[in-house]
Amino acid sequence: MAVDADEAIYELEKALGKNLSTDLDAAKLERMQAALDDVPLRQIIELIERQSSPRGAVLLRLLPPQRATAVFDALDPAHQADLVEALSDESVTSLFAALGAEDRVQLLDNLPAEIADQVMSGLDEEERESTNALLGYEKGTVGRHMSPDVLAVGAGEGVGVVVDKLKAQAADLETIYLLPVVDDDLMLVGVAELKDLFVTHADTIGQVMREPVWAEATDSAEDTARWLLATTNIAVPVVDADKRLVGVFTYDEAHDVIEDADSEDTARQGGAEALRRPYLSTPVRELFRSRIVWLLVLAVSAILTVQVLDVFEGTIAQVTVLSLFIPLLTGTGGNTGNQAATTVTRALALNDVRTRDILPVMWREVRVGLMLGLVLGTLGLVLGWVVFGSDIGIIIGATLLSICTMSATVGGVMPILAKTIGADPAVFSNPFISTFCDATGLIIYFLIAKAVLGL
């Protein structure tokens, strides 16, 4: 089967060609459809992720409805949006309706308004109401990512009755493994797990339920997701401000939230925006947009470094050997700051550090920076002394000590300051810290040089 699948993939990619349009002759379509029949679902997903949107749309049209739905559901929301714009109206309607309410919301967030209205109009009244209910919550909240498709049971219901309900409704539920228990007003009073229903000898749900742990619909989706993934729970009930059950937040949805958040943080720490779709299916213009803004910001920020060099041009002219160490010192400062920023940004994401911990973090990073500076500064002192003389050795050693201490402290504090003012800590991490530490490190370097050399 593996060999046949690989051959089918090869034939498909060859058939797609370099100049594929969405209009193909019947014979070619038939050959591609036959080849797809031999390809496992996972490999079809990977194949579509490597294609442009028009090519991916062609492949989706060739799949049977059930396989097309499964493939479409597995794609990133931004990639789904690209395919929606490339697909015909009837194809979009069936694929969109087959998604869960929470997945529809993520897709709608990536669609132009006119296309979003078009696909919403193809839903039945019940599907439209459940989707609009989630759209009513702010982006980034649990309510935006929960599923309203959950079976709520009463404490007085019989265990056997509930099992029969699960059998009848399983295909329409987001999860059958967690059962929220509610009272007559839909207030959450407990939870029960599917396995409890099969091993218990109790008569009613109230005898097997346990105290509930829940999330509010207005809670941060990222914070709740990180908490959920760190537990053994497969899902958590979601309630409104009055503790009425409104949905369920599942493990797989939490995983998607964290994957998106981590991708965004990683991209921003490297001076770019997250693509939110597979690389090969991302249009070149999107790759350009994800990078150009950051490059412009960093280019403007780098002017600070040029200005510092201009101010101390006379010092460099008098002792030209000082210019040799500029790359070493700026690189060390930027790397030290980035290490601290990355560590603290991750700690913030995991709730190991909170905004009120700014002073303890600062004190820890001061000490870490001092220790790093002592090691690197001692090395710089010895090498500089041996090669260029005692004065240069002292300048390099003292500068490395100062720069490491300053950079570690700034790198540790800036992500916390960013979160305090409501900004993304990753934005204030590597790119900006590198620029700040470059300029500040050069000022420290030349001030120490002027003091030691008496310039």
Side-chain angles (χ1 to χ4, degrees):
M1 182 65 168
V3 174
D4 292 340
D6 290 340
E7 290 177 354
I9 288 285
Y10 174 76
E11 290 300 323
L12 280 166
E13 292 184 324
K14 188 169 69 173
L16 287 170
K18 290 186 177 180
N19 301 308
L20 172 72
S21 69
T22 53
D23 298 319
L24 297 172
D25 61 80
K28 195 170 187 179
L29 284 172
E30 187 175 345
R31 289 197 303 272
M32 292 176 67
Q33 195 163 28
L36 281 170
D37 290 339
D38 296 326
V39 181
L41 207 59
R42 176 181 60 81
Q43 290 182 283
I44 294 177
I45 295 169
E46 292 174 355
L47 177 62
I48 290 179
E49 287 178 338
R50 295 199 301 270
Q51 309 302 322
S52 63
S53 300
R55 298 176 185 222
V58 169
L59 291 174
L60 270 180
R61 287 197 191 102
L62 296 177
L63 294 171
Q66 188 173 2
R67 296 195 94 195
T69 300
V71 169
F72 187 76
D73 190 33
L75 300 174
D76 296 325
H79 195 189
Q80 289 176 338
D82 292 340
L83 291 174
V84 164
E85 295 186 57
L87 287 166
S88 61
D89 292 346
E90 56 271 18
S91 300
V92 169
T93 300
S94 59
L95 290 172
F96 187 68
L99 295 174
E102 72 282 8
D103 294 323
R104 289 189 215 119
V105 168
Q106 304 309 311
L107 173 54
L108 289 170
D109 284 340
N110 289 275
L111 285 173
E114 62 275 9
I115 297 180
D117 292 339
Q118 176 184 330
V119 295
M120 281 289 286
S121 65
L123 298 177
D124 62 35
E125 185 176 351
E126 183 179 350
E127 291 169 338
R128 196 178 304 116
E129 286 181 0
S130 63
T131 304
N132 283 328
L134 270 61
L135 286 170
Y137 294 102
E138 291 185 15
K139 290 183 179 180
T141 62
V142 172
R144 198 77 174 214
H145 294 271
M146 70 180 182
S147 171
D149 301 322
V150 56
L151 176 63
V153 300
E157 291 190 56
V159 171
V161 172
V162 171
V163 170
D164 290 339
K165 282 186 178 180
L166 285 173
K167 291 179 180 178
Q169 303 179 35
D172 300 321
L173 299 175
E174 182 66 22
T175 178
I176 63 173
Y177 300 103
L178 181 78
L179 295 171
V181 184
V182 298
D183 61 16
D184 294 338
D185 296 319
L186 287 181
M187 303 281 284
L188 184 67
V189 296
V191 292
E193 293 184 356
L194 180 63
K195 65 179 181 180
D196 297 331
L197 305 187
F198 288 101
V199 300
T200 186
H201 297 290
D203 296 323
T204 64
I205 293 295
Q207 295 173 304
V208 298
M209 74 178 187
R210 65 175 188 274
E211 186 176 351
V213 178
W214 70 89
E216 285 198 20
T218 54
D219 289 344
S220 163
E222 182 180 346
D223 292 344
T224 304
R226 292 194 186 279
W227 166 81
L228 179 60
L229 295 184
T231 69
T232 58
N233 297 315
I234 199 168
V236 61
V238 182
V239 299
D240 61 16
D242 298 320
K243 206 183 172 183
R244 289 189 179 88
L245 182 71
V246 291
V248 63
F249 186 55
T250 60
Y251 187 96
D252 61 332
E253 190 65 30
H255 181 274
D256 290 342
V257 169
I258 297 306
E259 183 178 33
D260 288 344
D262 287 349
S263 296
E264 183 177 84
D265 288 348
T266 300
R268 287 180 171 176
Q269 286 170 1
E273 287 294 326
L275 297 180
R276 303 192 181 283
R277 52 173 65 78
Y279 174 82
L280 290 177
S281 63
T282 303
V284 172
R285 66 179 181 276
E286 291 297 326
L287 292 173
F288 167 78
R289 289 174 186 169
S290 72
R291 302 177 188 179
I292 187 60
V293 174
W294 287 95
L295 286 178
L296 290 173
V297 170
L298 293 175
V300 172
S301 302
I303 294 175
L304 291 173
T305 303
V306 176
Q307 289 295 107
V308 172
L309 290 173
D310 184 57
V311 169
F312 290 99
E313 183 180 5
T315 304
I316 296 174
Q318 294 180 58
V319 187
T320 55
V321 71
L322 293 177
S323 63
L324 299 177
F325 295 96
I326 290 176
L328 166 67
L329 299 175
T330 55
T332 300
N335 290 337
T336 303
N338 290 341
Q339 286 178 333
T342 301
T343 302
V344 174
T345 299
R346 182 63 177 167
L348 284 168
L350 297 174
N351 283 326
D352 293 339
V353 170
R354 305 202 175 144
T355 53
R356 64 173 179 266
D357 297 322
I358 186 168
L359 291 179
V361 169
M362 180 185 295
W363 176 230
R364 291 175 72 85
E365 290 302 329
V366 166
R367 288 178 290 167
V368 172
L370 274 171
M371 288 188 285
L372 293 171
L374 282 171
V375 174
L376 296 177
T378 300
L379 182 61
L381 170 65
V382 172
L383 294 178
W385 194 313
V386 170
V387 179
F388 297 101
S390 59
D391 287 346
I392 298 300
I394 292 171
I395 292 170
I396 301 304
T399 302
L400 284 170
L401 175 63
S402 302
I403 285 179
C404 286
T405 305
M406 179 271 297
S407 299
T409 305
V410 171
V413 168
M414 285 189 77
I416 299 179
L417 292 177
K419 189 163 187 177
T420 301
I421 63 176
D424 187 342
V427 174
F428 280 76
S429 294
N430 299 12
F432 286 104
I433 288 173
S434 294
T435 303
F436 176 84
C437 292
D438 285 353
T440 309
L442 287 177
I443 293 173
I444 293 172
Y445 177 41
F446 289 118
L447 289 178
I448 291 175
K450 293 182 74 171
V452 173
L453 298 174
L455 300 177

